[in-house]
Amino acid sequence: MVKIQPFEVEQWMDRYELTPGVINIAETCAASLSIDDLVGMSVNQNEPGPLILSVKLTYGAIRGSQTLRQKVASLFDRASPVLIPVENVIITQGAIMANFLLFYTLIGPGDHVICVYPTYQQLYAVPKSLGAEVSLWKLKEEHGYIPDLQDLKRLAKPNTKMIVINNPNNPTGSTIPASVLKELIAFAEPRGIIVFSDEVYSPLYHSLPSDQEAPPSILALGYEKTVATGSMSKAFALAGIRLGWIASRDPSIIEAVSAARDYTTISVSQLDDQVAAYALSEPVLPSLLKRNEGLARTNLALLSAFVERYRSVCSWVKPTAGTTALIQFRKNGVPVDDPEFVVDVLDKTKVLFMPGSACFGLGKDLKGFVRIGYVCHTEVLGNGLHELGRYIEKHLL
Ligand SMILES: Cc1ncc(COP(=O)(O)O)c(C=O)c1O
């Protein structure tokens, strides 16, 4: 039997997100959209919606439709020019399957994997469960949660096969700038190490300092052994279609992943494929991204005002991208017991967010931290912060 630790954040979400009356500020997707919402965003109102109802529901195109793969490939071209051939993109059931397949295909006993930390637990737990040795590349609060190349150099070994990053990062909301990505490639390339970037929150680089540009995808840096995964769930607000992708500059990686994928997927739903292709089409995509970036900026301003107001008991590194923020709460100067705090806040106020140490700190780091998903509807965030503020005034101040 596979030995794998429970996936804490998924289990915490599953346990509490359907609590009656919950005010959910734990969700990491930009507030989800319906098909009607999407159609309403199209600048081409005379065109039909996404679903072609006459198409027979066969398995469809095994690796994903040509139309969709082309649109995903052109996403990499939007931020900085990089031409990814359509053959180098395969569609998966969400980024969670993309990530899993990538590790399942490429990683095994005898391999060493370096993974940024904190991050989505899947990114270090799955390679470990496959028998690899995993070293955690710790993101430090004092460095704004940006990975430090000197630390990477200390972690690398002769058998390091893959370096895993997550840009923008969940849970910190930090961005790895282009300069650090370039240094990372300069380190990995001569050693032949695969660089894998989970870019599921890209392109939500909504609050970068004015002198900083959105970083390119890892695929845009000229190194063949790079892989990126992404999805419709977060920046595109469509988690319900369960649609993600793997893209690489290296065709042999794509072929190997496809061969493994035959055992888990056959194909992704044609309906999901059609909705995703519609959302990424020229008449819809700009309005969709504008809506989600706007929501992220408006809501981050609300969250910032909250952190400022209660700064005697909470602190953070303000996020620059993505949908999540990591905030530490203290009582009498001592970090709260975050799992207990989360359950007590939920009990007393119905406000839900995630405990940092349990979900992202392997139980020993991130004491007192919680992760808030702030790109929900502004009204939900407003209500959640109002209730949380009342709780703080009663129990922490
Ligand atoms: C970093 C990261 N990768 C992948 C996923 C999985 O996303 P999905 O399968 O919905 O595309 C998540 C979900 O929270 C995530 O935070």
Side-chain angles (χ1 to χ4, degrees), residues 10 28 93-97 99 119-120 122-123 166 170 198 200-201 230-234 239 242-244:
E10 298 298 342
T28 56
Q93 285 127 345
I96 197 161
M97 182 56 108
N99 293 346
T119 191
Y120 196 51
Q122 183 193 28
L123 298 176
N166 175 208
N170 169 17
D198 176 327
V200 81
Y201 294 93
S231 130
M232 297 304 293
S233 298
K234 315 292 180 182
R242 305 305 307 129
L243 194 134

mmCIF file with all atom_site columns, all heavy atoms in Angstrom, residues 10 28 93-97 99 119-120 122-123 166 170 198 200-201 230-234 239 242-244, ligand 1:
data_model
loop_
_atom_site.group_PDB
_atom_site.id
_atom_site.type_symbol
_atom_site.label_atom_id
_atom_site.label_alt_id
_atom_site.label_comp_id
_atom_site.label_asym_id
_atom_site.label_entity_id
_atom_site.label_seq_id
_atom_site.pdbx_PDB_ins_code
_atom_site.Cartn_x
_atom_site.Cartn_y
_atom_site.Cartn_z
_atom_site.occupancy
_atom_site.B_iso_or_equiv
_atom_site.pdbx_formal_charge
_atom_site.auth_seq_id
_atom_site.auth_comp_id
_atom_site.auth_asym_id
_atom_site.auth_atom_id
_atom_site.pdbx_PDB_model_num
ATOM   1   N N   . GLU A 1 10  ? -6.832  19.780 2.169   1.00 0.00 ? 10  GLU A N   1
ATOM   2   C CA  . GLU A 1 10  ? -8.036  19.261 1.517   1.00 0.00 ? 10  GLU A CA  1
ATOM   3   C C   . GLU A 1 10  ? -8.976  18.668 2.571   1.00 0.00 ? 10  GLU A C   1
ATOM   4   O O   . GLU A 1 10  ? -10.188 18.816 2.489   1.00 0.00 ? 10  GLU A O   1
ATOM   5   C CB  . GLU A 1 10  ? -7.668  18.210 0.446   1.00 0.00 ? 10  GLU A CB  1
ATOM   6   C CG  . GLU A 1 10  ? -6.811  18.744 -0.708  1.00 0.00 ? 10  GLU A CG  1
ATOM   7   C CD  . GLU A 1 10  ? -7.490  19.843 -1.542  1.00 0.00 ? 10  GLU A CD  1
ATOM   8   O OE1 . GLU A 1 10  ? -8.724  19.977 -1.483  1.00 0.00 ? 10  GLU A OE1 1
ATOM   9   O OE2 . GLU A 1 10  ? -6.762  20.588 -2.230  1.00 0.00 ? 10  GLU A OE2 1
ATOM   10  N N   . THR A 1 28  ? -9.561  29.132 -2.301  1.00 0.00 ? 28  THR A N   1
ATOM   11  C CA  . THR A 1 28  ? -8.417  29.686 -3.048  1.00 0.00 ? 28  THR A CA  1
ATOM   12  C C   . THR A 1 28  ? -8.755  30.038 -4.502  1.00 0.00 ? 28  THR A C   1
ATOM   13  O O   . THR A 1 28  ? -7.885  30.496 -5.241  1.00 0.00 ? 28  THR A O   1
ATOM   14  C CB  . THR A 1 28  ? -7.246  28.685 -3.053  1.00 0.00 ? 28  THR A CB  1
ATOM   15  O OG1 . THR A 1 28  ? -7.722  27.455 -3.594  1.00 0.00 ? 28  THR A OG1 1
ATOM   16  C CG2 . THR A 1 28  ? -6.686  28.468 -1.677  1.00 0.00 ? 28  THR A CG2 1
ATOM   17  N N   . GLN A 1 93  ? -7.316  16.380 -15.606 1.00 0.00 ? 93  GLN A N   1
ATOM   18  C CA  . GLN A 1 93  ? -8.429  16.733 -14.714 1.00 0.00 ? 93  GLN A CA  1
ATOM   19  C C   . GLN A 1 93  ? -7.876  17.608 -13.584 1.00 0.00 ? 93  GLN A C   1
ATOM   20  O O   . GLN A 1 93  ? -7.504  17.121 -12.511 1.00 0.00 ? 93  GLN A O   1
ATOM   21  C CB  . GLN A 1 93  ? -9.074  15.474 -14.115 1.00 0.00 ? 93  GLN A CB  1
ATOM   22  C CG  . GLN A 1 93  ? -9.926  14.729 -15.115 1.00 0.00 ? 93  GLN A CG  1
ATOM   23  C CD  . GLN A 1 93  ? -9.529  13.282 -15.210 1.00 0.00 ? 93  GLN A CD  1
ATOM   24  O OE1 . GLN A 1 93  ? -8.460  12.880 -14.758 1.00 0.00 ? 93  GLN A OE1 1
ATOM   25  N NE2 . GLN A 1 93  ? -10.373 12.487 -15.807 1.00 0.00 ? 93  GLN A NE2 1
ATOM   26  N N   . GLY A 1 94  ? -7.824  18.882 -13.828 1.00 0.00 ? 94  GLY A N   1
ATOM   27  C CA  . GLY A 1 94  ? -7.321  19.831 -12.831 1.00 0.00 ? 94  GLY A CA  1
ATOM   28  C C   . GLY A 1 94  ? -5.802  19.785 -12.760 1.00 0.00 ? 94  GLY A C   1
ATOM   29  O O   . GLY A 1 94  ? -5.147  18.856 -13.271 1.00 0.00 ? 94  GLY A O   1
ATOM   30  N N   . ALA A 1 95  ? -5.255  20.800 -12.103 1.00 0.00 ? 95  ALA A N   1
ATOM   31  C CA  . ALA A 1 95  ? -3.801  20.821 -11.894 1.00 0.00 ? 95  ALA A CA  1
ATOM   32  C C   . ALA A 1 95  ? -3.403  19.736 -10.910 1.00 0.00 ? 95  ALA A C   1
ATOM   33  O O   . ALA A 1 95  ? -2.267  19.263 -10.917 1.00 0.00 ? 95  ALA A O   1
ATOM   34  C CB  . ALA A 1 95  ? -3.363  22.185 -11.385 1.00 0.00 ? 95  ALA A CB  1
ATOM   35  N N   . ILE A 1 96  ? -4.335  19.315 -10.073 1.00 0.00 ? 96  ILE A N   1
ATOM   36  C CA  . ILE A 1 96  ? -3.981  18.291 -9.086  1.00 0.00 ? 96  ILE A CA  1
ATOM   37  C C   . ILE A 1 96  ? -3.598  16.997 -9.812  1.00 0.00 ? 96  ILE A C   1
ATOM   38  O O   . ILE A 1 96  ? -2.649  16.314 -9.422  1.00 0.00 ? 96  ILE A O   1
ATOM   39  C CB  . ILE A 1 96  ? -5.107  18.095 -8.037  1.00 0.00 ? 96  ILE A CB  1
ATOM   40  C CG1 . ILE A 1 96  ? -4.552  17.366 -6.825  1.00 0.00 ? 96  ILE A CG1 1
ATOM   41  C CG2 . ILE A 1 96  ? -6.325  17.397 -8.603  1.00 0.00 ? 96  ILE A CG2 1
ATOM   42  C CD1 . ILE A 1 96  ? -5.393  17.512 -5.581  1.00 0.00 ? 96  ILE A CD1 1
ATOM   43  N N   . MET A 1 97  ? -4.290  16.673 -10.899 1.00 0.00 ? 97  MET A N   1
ATOM   44  C CA  . MET A 1 97  ? -3.936  15.490 -11.684 1.00 0.00 ? 97  MET A CA  1
ATOM   45  C C   . MET A 1 97  ? -2.676  15.753 -12.493 1.00 0.00 ? 97  MET A C   1
ATOM   46  O O   . MET A 1 97  ? -1.827  14.862 -12.649 1.00 0.00 ? 97  MET A O   1
ATOM   47  C CB  . MET A 1 97  ? -5.110  15.091 -12.589 1.00 0.00 ? 97  MET A CB  1
ATOM   48  C CG  . MET A 1 97  ? -4.850  13.854 -13.403 1.00 0.00 ? 97  MET A CG  1
ATOM   49  S SD  . MET A 1 97  ? -4.385  12.430 -12.379 1.00 0.00 ? 97  MET A SD  1
ATOM   50  C CE  . MET A 1 97  ? -5.862  11.444 -12.497 1.00 0.00 ? 97  MET A CE  1
ATOM   51  N N   . ASN A 1 99  ? -0.150  17.628 -11.641 1.00 0.00 ? 99  ASN A N   1
ATOM   52  C CA  . ASN A 1 99  ? 0.995   17.508 -10.733 1.00 0.00 ? 99  ASN A CA  1
ATOM   53  C C   . ASN A 1 99  ? 1.267   16.039 -10.403 1.00 0.00 ? 99  ASN A C   1
ATOM   54  O O   . ASN A 1 99  ? 2.405   15.578 -10.411 1.00 0.00 ? 99  ASN A O   1
ATOM   55  C CB  . ASN A 1 99  ? 0.720   18.260 -9.424  1.00 0.00 ? 99  ASN A CB  1
ATOM   56  C CG  . ASN A 1 99  ? 0.626   19.765 -9.623  1.00 0.00 ? 99  ASN A CG  1
ATOM   57  O OD1 . ASN A 1 99  ? 1.014   20.280 -10.663 1.00 0.00 ? 99  ASN A OD1 1
ATOM   58  N ND2 . ASN A 1 99  ? 0.109   20.470 -8.629  1.00 0.00 ? 99  ASN A ND2 1
ATOM   59  N N   . THR A 1 119 ? 4.154   25.274 0.804   1.00 0.00 ? 119 THR A N   1
ATOM   60  C CA  . THR A 1 119 ? 3.406   25.264 -0.457  1.00 0.00 ? 119 THR A CA  1
ATOM   61  C C   . THR A 1 119 ? 2.303   24.216 -0.351  1.00 0.00 ? 119 THR A C   1
ATOM   62  O O   . THR A 1 119 ? 2.107   23.611 0.721   1.00 0.00 ? 119 THR A O   1
ATOM   63  C CB  . THR A 1 119 ? 4.346   25.003 -1.658  1.00 0.00 ? 119 THR A CB  1
ATOM   64  O OG1 . THR A 1 119 ? 3.632   25.264 -2.856  1.00 0.00 ? 119 THR A OG1 1
ATOM   65  C CG2 . THR A 1 119 ? 4.854   23.562 -1.721  1.00 0.00 ? 119 THR A CG2 1
ATOM   66  N N   . TYR A 1 120 ? 1.611   24.010 -1.452  1.00 0.00 ? 120 TYR A N   1
ATOM   67  C CA  . TYR A 1 120 ? 0.548   23.003 -1.532  1.00 0.00 ? 120 TYR A CA  1
ATOM   68  C C   . TYR A 1 120 ? 1.180   21.634 -1.229  1.00 0.00 ? 120 TYR A C   1
ATOM   69  O O   . TYR A 1 120 ? 2.152   21.236 -1.885  1.00 0.00 ? 120 TYR A O   1
ATOM   70  C CB  . TYR A 1 120 ? 0.014   23.060 -2.955  1.00 0.00 ? 120 TYR A CB  1
ATOM   71  C CG  . TYR A 1 120 ? -1.304  22.404 -3.219  1.00 0.00 ? 120 TYR A CG  1
ATOM   72  C CD1 . TYR A 1 120 ? -2.429  22.671 -2.453  1.00 0.00 ? 120 TYR A CD1 1
ATOM   73  C CD2 . TYR A 1 120 ? -1.447  21.538 -4.305  1.00 0.00 ? 120 TYR A CD2 1
ATOM   74  C CE1 . TYR A 1 120 ? -3.649  22.090 -2.747  1.00 0.00 ? 120 TYR A CE1 1
ATOM   75  C CE2 . TYR A 1 120 ? -2.666  20.959 -4.611  1.00 0.00 ? 120 TYR A CE2 1
ATOM   76  C CZ  . TYR A 1 120 ? -3.758  21.234 -3.825  1.00 0.00 ? 120 TYR A CZ  1
ATOM   77  O OH  . TYR A 1 120 ? -4.963  20.661 -4.123  1.00 0.00 ? 120 TYR A OH  1
ATOM   78  N N   . GLN A 1 122 ? 0.696   18.616 -1.773  1.00 0.00 ? 122 GLN A N   1
ATOM   79  C CA  . GLN A 1 122 ? 0.880   17.632 -2.853  1.00 0.00 ? 122 GLN A CA  1
ATOM   80  C C   . GLN A 1 122 ? 2.284   17.699 -3.455  1.00 0.00 ? 122 GLN A C   1
ATOM   81  O O   . GLN A 1 122 ? 2.869   16.681 -3.830  1.00 0.00 ? 122 GLN A O   1
ATOM   82  C CB  . GLN A 1 122 ? -0.147  17.909 -3.964  1.00 0.00 ? 122 GLN A CB  1
ATOM   83  C CG  . GLN A 1 122 ? -0.084  16.890 -5.089  1.00 0.00 ? 122 GLN A CG  1
ATOM   84  C CD  . GLN A 1 122 ? -0.850  17.305 -6.329  1.00 0.00 ? 122 GLN A CD  1
ATOM   85  O OE1 . GLN A 1 122 ? -1.017  18.491 -6.612  1.00 0.00 ? 122 GLN A OE1 1
ATOM   86  N NE2 . GLN A 1 122 ? -1.342  16.327 -7.067  1.00 0.00 ? 122 GLN A NE2 1
ATOM   87  N N   . LEU A 1 123 ? 2.838   18.898 -3.534  1.00 0.00 ? 123 LEU A N   1
ATOM   88  C CA  . LEU A 1 123 ? 4.087   19.092 -4.269  1.00 0.00 ? 123 LEU A CA  1
ATOM   89  C C   . LEU A 1 123 ? 5.297   18.461 -3.592  1.00 0.00 ? 123 LEU A C   1
ATOM   90  O O   . LEU A 1 123 ? 6.303   18.203 -4.245  1.00 0.00 ? 123 LEU A O   1
ATOM   91  C CB  . LEU A 1 123 ? 4.319   20.591 -4.526  1.00 0.00 ? 123 LEU A CB  1
ATOM   92  C CG  . LEU A 1 123 ? 3.251   21.277 -5.387  1.00 0.00 ? 123 LEU A CG  1
ATOM   93  C CD1 . LEU A 1 123 ? 3.523   22.779 -5.509  1.00 0.00 ? 123 LEU A CD1 1
ATOM   94  C CD2 . LEU A 1 123 ? 3.171   20.645 -6.773  1.00 0.00 ? 123 LEU A CD2 1
ATOM   95  N N   . ASN A 1 166 ? 6.424   27.042 -6.934  1.00 0.00 ? 166 ASN A N   1
ATOM   96  C CA  . ASN A 1 166 ? 4.991   27.350 -7.058  1.00 0.00 ? 166 ASN A CA  1
ATOM   97  C C   . ASN A 1 166 ? 4.884   28.866 -7.164  1.00 0.00 ? 166 ASN A C   1
ATOM   98  O O   . ASN A 1 166 ? 5.141   29.567 -6.198  1.00 0.00 ? 166 ASN A O   1
ATOM   99  C CB  . ASN A 1 166 ? 4.299   26.807 -5.785  1.00 0.00 ? 166 ASN A CB  1
ATOM   100 C CG  . ASN A 1 166 ? 2.828   27.133 -5.675  1.00 0.00 ? 166 ASN A CG  1
ATOM   101 O OD1 . ASN A 1 166 ? 2.293   27.238 -4.564  1.00 0.00 ? 166 ASN A OD1 1
ATOM   102 N ND2 . ASN A 1 166 ? 2.158   27.272 -6.776  1.00 0.00 ? 166 ASN A ND2 1
ATOM   103 N N   . ASN A 1 170 ? 1.079   29.491 -3.089  1.00 0.00 ? 170 ASN A N   1
ATOM   104 C CA  . ASN A 1 170 ? 0.039   29.192 -2.113  1.00 0.00 ? 170 ASN A CA  1
ATOM   105 C C   . ASN A 1 170 ? 0.786   28.559 -0.940  1.00 0.00 ? 170 ASN A C   1
ATOM   106 O O   . ASN A 1 170 ? 1.508   27.585 -1.176  1.00 0.00 ? 170 ASN A O   1
ATOM   107 C CB  . ASN A 1 170 ? -0.953  28.186 -2.723  1.00 0.00 ? 170 ASN A CB  1
ATOM   108 C CG  . ASN A 1 170 ? -1.926  27.610 -1.721  1.00 0.00 ? 170 ASN A CG  1
ATOM   109 O OD1 . ASN A 1 170 ? -2.101  28.146 -0.636  1.00 0.00 ? 170 ASN A OD1 1
ATOM   110 N ND2 . ASN A 1 170 ? -2.556  26.503 -2.082  1.00 0.00 ? 170 ASN A ND2 1
ATOM   111 N N   . ASP A 1 198 ? 4.586   24.903 -10.584 1.00 0.00 ? 198 ASP A N   1
ATOM   112 C CA  . ASP A 1 198 ? 3.129   24.871 -10.488 1.00 0.00 ? 198 ASP A CA  1
ATOM   113 C C   . ASP A 1 198 ? 2.670   26.319 -10.609 1.00 0.00 ? 198 ASP A C   1
ATOM   114 O O   . ASP A 1 198 ? 2.896   27.131 -9.710  1.00 0.00 ? 198 ASP A O   1
ATOM   115 C CB  . ASP A 1 198 ? 2.723   24.243 -9.144  1.00 0.00 ? 198 ASP A CB  1
ATOM   116 C CG  . ASP A 1 198 ? 1.213   24.263 -8.909  1.00 0.00 ? 198 ASP A CG  1
ATOM   117 O OD1 . ASP A 1 198 ? 0.551   25.208 -9.369  1.00 0.00 ? 198 ASP A OD1 1
ATOM   118 O OD2 . ASP A 1 198 ? 0.709   23.354 -8.227  1.00 0.00 ? 198 ASP A OD2 1
ATOM   119 N N   . VAL A 1 200 ? -0.487  27.457 -11.102 1.00 0.00 ? 200 VAL A N   1
ATOM   120 C CA  . VAL A 1 200 ? -1.947  27.397 -11.083 1.00 0.00 ? 200 VAL A CA  1
ATOM   121 C C   . VAL A 1 200 ? -2.578  28.771 -10.755 1.00 0.00 ? 200 VAL A C   1
ATOM   122 O O   . VAL A 1 200 ? -3.709  29.039 -11.150 1.00 0.00 ? 200 VAL A O   1
ATOM   123 C CB  . VAL A 1 200 ? -2.374  26.256 -10.121 1.00 0.00 ? 200 VAL A CB  1
ATOM   124 C CG1 . VAL A 1 200 ? -2.337  26.676 -8.694  1.00 0.00 ? 200 VAL A CG1 1
ATOM   125 C CG2 . VAL A 1 200 ? -3.700  25.671 -10.473 1.00 0.00 ? 200 VAL A CG2 1
ATOM   126 N N   . TYR A 1 201 ? -1.821  29.637 -10.062 1.00 0.00 ? 201 TYR A N   1
ATOM   127 C CA  . TYR A 1 201 ? -2.376  30.973 -9.732  1.00 0.00 ? 201 TYR A CA  1
ATOM   128 C C   . TYR A 1 201 ? -1.980  32.038 -10.759 1.00 0.00 ? 201 TYR A C   1
ATOM   129 O O   . TYR A 1 201 ? -2.352  33.202 -10.627 1.00 0.00 ? 201 TYR A O   1
ATOM   130 C CB  . TYR A 1 201 ? -1.947  31.408 -8.316  1.00 0.00 ? 201 TYR A CB  1
ATOM   131 C CG  . TYR A 1 201 ? -2.569  30.514 -7.276  1.00 0.00 ? 201 TYR A CG  1
ATOM   132 C CD1 . TYR A 1 201 ? -1.901  29.397 -6.790  1.00 0.00 ? 201 TYR A CD1 1
ATOM   133 C CD2 . TYR A 1 201 ? -3.866  30.740 -6.834  1.00 0.00 ? 201 TYR A CD2 1
ATOM   134 C CE1 . TYR A 1 201 ? -2.493  28.536 -5.887  1.00 0.00 ? 201 TYR A CE1 1
ATOM   135 C CE2 . TYR A 1 201 ? -4.470  29.886 -5.926  1.00 0.00 ? 201 TYR A CE2 1
ATOM   136 C CZ  . TYR A 1 201 ? -3.773  28.792 -5.466  1.00 0.00 ? 201 TYR A CZ  1
ATOM   137 O OH  . TYR A 1 201 ? -4.391  27.944 -4.576  1.00 0.00 ? 201 TYR A OH  1
ATOM   138 N N   . GLY A 1 230 ? -0.945  24.118 -14.844 1.00 0.00 ? 230 GLY A N   1
ATOM   139 C CA  . GLY A 1 230 ? -1.877  25.226 -14.641 1.00 0.00 ? 230 GLY A CA  1
ATOM   140 C C   . GLY A 1 230 ? -3.288  24.698 -14.674 1.00 0.00 ? 230 GLY A C   1
ATOM   141 O O   . GLY A 1 230 ? -3.505  23.489 -14.826 1.00 0.00 ? 230 GLY A O   1
ATOM   142 N N   . SER A 1 231 ? -4.250  25.598 -14.542 1.00 0.00 ? 231 SER A N   1
ATOM   143 C CA  . SER A 1 231 ? -5.625  25.131 -14.437 1.00 0.00 ? 231 SER A CA  1
ATOM   144 C C   . SER A 1 231 ? -6.623  26.259 -14.591 1.00 0.00 ? 231 SER A C   1
ATOM   145 O O   . SER A 1 231 ? -6.278  27.434 -14.498 1.00 0.00 ? 231 SER A O   1
ATOM   146 C CB  . SER A 1 231 ? -5.757  24.449 -13.076 1.00 0.00 ? 231 SER A CB  1
ATOM   147 O OG  . SER A 1 231 ? -6.831  24.868 -12.327 1.00 0.00 ? 231 SER A OG  1
ATOM   148 N N   . MET A 1 232 ? -7.869  25.876 -14.842 1.00 0.00 ? 232 MET A N   1
ATOM   149 C CA  . MET A 1 232 ? -8.954  26.854 -14.953 1.00 0.00 ? 232 MET A CA  1
ATOM   150 C C   . MET A 1 232 ? -9.515  27.237 -13.577 1.00 0.00 ? 232 MET A C   1
ATOM   151 O O   . MET A 1 232 ? -10.396 28.084 -13.488 1.00 0.00 ? 232 MET A O   1
ATOM   152 C CB  . MET A 1 232 ? -10.096 26.270 -15.802 1.00 0.00 ? 232 MET A CB  1
ATOM   153 C CG  . MET A 1 232 ? -9.740  25.961 -17.234 1.00 0.00 ? 232 MET A CG  1
ATOM   154 S SD  . MET A 1 232 ? -9.073  27.367 -18.142 1.00 0.00 ? 232 MET A SD  1
ATOM   155 C CE  . MET A 1 232 ? -10.500 28.446 -18.231 1.00 0.00 ? 232 MET A CE  1
ATOM   156 N N   . SER A 1 233 ? -9.029  26.591 -12.492 1.00 0.00 ? 233 SER A N   1
ATOM   157 C CA  . SER A 1 233 ? -9.710  26.725 -11.200 1.00 0.00 ? 233 SER A CA  1
ATOM   158 C C   . SER A 1 233 ? -9.543  28.071 -10.518 1.00 0.00 ? 233 SER A C   1
ATOM   159 O O   . SER A 1 233 ? -10.488 28.589 -9.928  1.00 0.00 ? 233 SER A O   1
ATOM   160 C CB  . SER A 1 233 ? -9.191  25.664 -10.216 1.00 0.00 ? 233 SER A CB  1
ATOM   161 O OG  . SER A 1 233 ? -9.456  24.382 -10.689 1.00 0.00 ? 233 SER A OG  1
ATOM   162 N N   . LYS A 1 234 ? -8.321  28.613 -10.541 1.00 0.00 ? 234 LYS A N   1
ATOM   163 C CA  . LYS A 1 234 ? -8.014  29.733 -9.632  1.00 0.00 ? 234 LYS A CA  1
ATOM   164 C C   . LYS A 1 234 ? -8.149  31.073 -10.335 1.00 0.00 ? 234 LYS A C   1
ATOM   165 O O   . LYS A 1 234 ? -9.099  31.811 -10.085 1.00 0.00 ? 234 LYS A O   1
ATOM   166 C CB  . LYS A 1 234 ? -6.597  29.566 -9.066  1.00 0.00 ? 234 LYS A CB  1
ATOM   167 C CG  . LYS A 1 234 ? -6.268  28.160 -8.593  1.00 0.00 ? 234 LYS A CG  1
ATOM   168 C CD  . LYS A 1 234 ? -7.050  27.759 -7.377  1.00 0.00 ? 234 LYS A CD  1
ATOM   169 C CE  . LYS A 1 234 ? -6.655  26.338 -6.975  1.00 0.00 ? 234 LYS A CE  1
ATOM   170 N NZ  . LYS A 1 234 ? -7.397  25.850 -5.825  1.00 0.00 ? 234 LYS A NZ  1
ATOM   171 N N   . ALA A 1 239 ? -13.363 26.228 -11.165 1.00 0.00 ? 239 ALA A N   1
ATOM   172 C CA  . ALA A 1 239 ? -12.917 24.960 -10.568 1.00 0.00 ? 239 ALA A CA  1
ATOM   173 C C   . ALA A 1 239 ? -13.865 23.813 -10.895 1.00 0.00 ? 239 ALA A C   1
ATOM   174 O O   . ALA A 1 239 ? -13.449 22.650 -10.957 1.00 0.00 ? 239 ALA A O   1
ATOM   175 C CB  . ALA A 1 239 ? -12.787 25.111 -9.055  1.00 0.00 ? 239 ALA A CB  1
ATOM   176 N N   . ARG A 1 242 ? -13.058 21.153 -13.548 1.00 0.00 ? 242 ARG A N   1
ATOM   177 C CA  . ARG A 1 242 ? -11.955 20.217 -13.303 1.00 0.00 ? 242 ARG A CA  1
ATOM   178 C C   . ARG A 1 242 ? -11.064 20.099 -14.540 1.00 0.00 ? 242 ARG A C   1
ATOM   179 O O   . ARG A 1 242 ? -10.933 19.016 -15.121 1.00 0.00 ? 242 ARG A O   1
ATOM   180 C CB  . ARG A 1 242 ? -12.486 18.824 -12.882 1.00 0.00 ? 242 ARG A CB  1
ATOM   181 C CG  . ARG A 1 242 ? -13.414 18.800 -11.695 1.00 0.00 ? 242 ARG A CG  1
ATOM   182 C CD  . ARG A 1 242 ? -12.815 19.464 -10.457 1.00 0.00 ? 242 ARG A CD  1
ATOM   183 N NE  . ARG A 1 242 ? -11.517 18.950 -10.107 1.00 0.00 ? 242 ARG A NE  1
ATOM   184 C CZ  . ARG A 1 242 ? -10.442 19.743 -9.889  1.00 0.00 ? 242 ARG A CZ  1
ATOM   185 N NH1 . ARG A 1 242 ? -10.504 21.056 -9.962  1.00 0.00 ? 242 ARG A NH1 1
ATOM   186 N NH2 . ARG A 1 242 ? -9.299  19.209 -9.565  1.00 0.00 ? 242 ARG A NH2 1
ATOM   187 N N   . LEU A 1 243 ? -10.485 21.194 -14.904 1.00 0.00 ? 243 LEU A N   1
ATOM   188 C CA  . LEU A 1 243 ? -9.666  21.179 -16.106 1.00 0.00 ? 243 LEU A CA  1
ATOM   189 C C   . LEU A 1 243 ? -8.320  21.870 -15.872 1.00 0.00 ? 243 LEU A C   1
ATOM   190 O O   . LEU A 1 243 ? -8.273  23.036 -15.494 1.00 0.00 ? 243 LEU A O   1
ATOM   191 C CB  . LEU A 1 243 ? -10.418 21.845 -17.269 1.00 0.00 ? 243 LEU A CB  1
ATOM   192 C CG  . LEU A 1 243 ? -9.732  21.523 -18.604 1.00 0.00 ? 243 LEU A CG  1
ATOM   193 C CD1 . LEU A 1 243 ? -10.711 21.113 -19.663 1.00 0.00 ? 243 LEU A CD1 1
ATOM   194 C CD2 . LEU A 1 243 ? -8.837  22.657 -19.043 1.00 0.00 ? 243 LEU A CD2 1
ATOM   195 N N   . GLY A 1 244 ? -7.253  21.107 -16.096 1.00 0.00 ? 244 GLY A N   1
ATOM   196 C CA  . GLY A 1 244 ? -5.910  21.658 -15.947 1.00 0.00 ? 244 GLY A CA  1
ATOM   197 C C   . GLY A 1 244 ? -5.019  21.206 -17.090 1.00 0.00 ? 244 GLY A C   1
ATOM   198 O O   . GLY A 1 244 ? -5.503  20.627 -18.069 1.00 0.00 ? 244 GLY A O   1
HETATM 199 C C1  . LIG B 2 .   ? -0.638  25.205 -5.775  1.00 0.00 ? 1   LIG B C1  1
HETATM 200 C C2  . LIG B 2 .   ? -1.821  24.402 -6.202  1.00 0.00 ? 1   LIG B C2  1
HETATM 201 N N1  . LIG B 2 .   ? -1.679  23.508 -7.189  1.00 0.00 ? 1   LIG B N1  1
HETATM 202 C C3  . LIG B 2 .   ? -2.704  22.767 -7.619  1.00 0.00 ? 1   LIG B C3  1
HETATM 203 C C4  . LIG B 2 .   ? -3.955  22.884 -7.049  1.00 0.00 ? 1   LIG B C4  1
HETATM 204 C C5  . LIG B 2 .   ? -5.076  22.030 -7.581  1.00 0.00 ? 1   LIG B C5  1
HETATM 205 O O1  . LIG B 2 .   ? -5.965  22.798 -8.346  1.00 0.00 ? 1   LIG B O1  1
HETATM 206 P P1  . LIG B 2 .   ? -6.999  22.195 -9.399  1.00 0.00 ? 1   LIG B P1  1
HETATM 207 O O2  . LIG B 2 .   ? -6.887  20.714 -9.384  1.00 0.00 ? 1   LIG B O2  1
HETATM 208 O O3  . LIG B 2 .   ? -8.342  22.673 -8.966  1.00 0.00 ? 1   LIG B O3  1
HETATM 209 O O4  . LIG B 2 .   ? -6.608  22.758 -10.715 1.00 0.00 ? 1   LIG B O4  1
HETATM 210 C C6  . LIG B 2 .   ? -4.162  23.789 -6.005  1.00 0.00 ? 1   LIG B C6  1
HETATM 211 C C7  . LIG B 2 .   ? -5.482  23.906 -5.340  1.00 0.00 ? 1   LIG B C7  1
HETATM 212 O O5  . LIG B 2 .   ? -5.638  24.511 -4.305  1.00 0.00 ? 1   LIG B O5  1
HETATM 213 C C8  . LIG B 2 .   ? -3.064  24.580 -5.583  1.00 0.00 ? 1   LIG B C8  1
HETATM 214 O O6  . LIG B 2 .   ? -3.195  25.484 -4.611  1.00 0.00 ? 1   LIG B O6  1
#
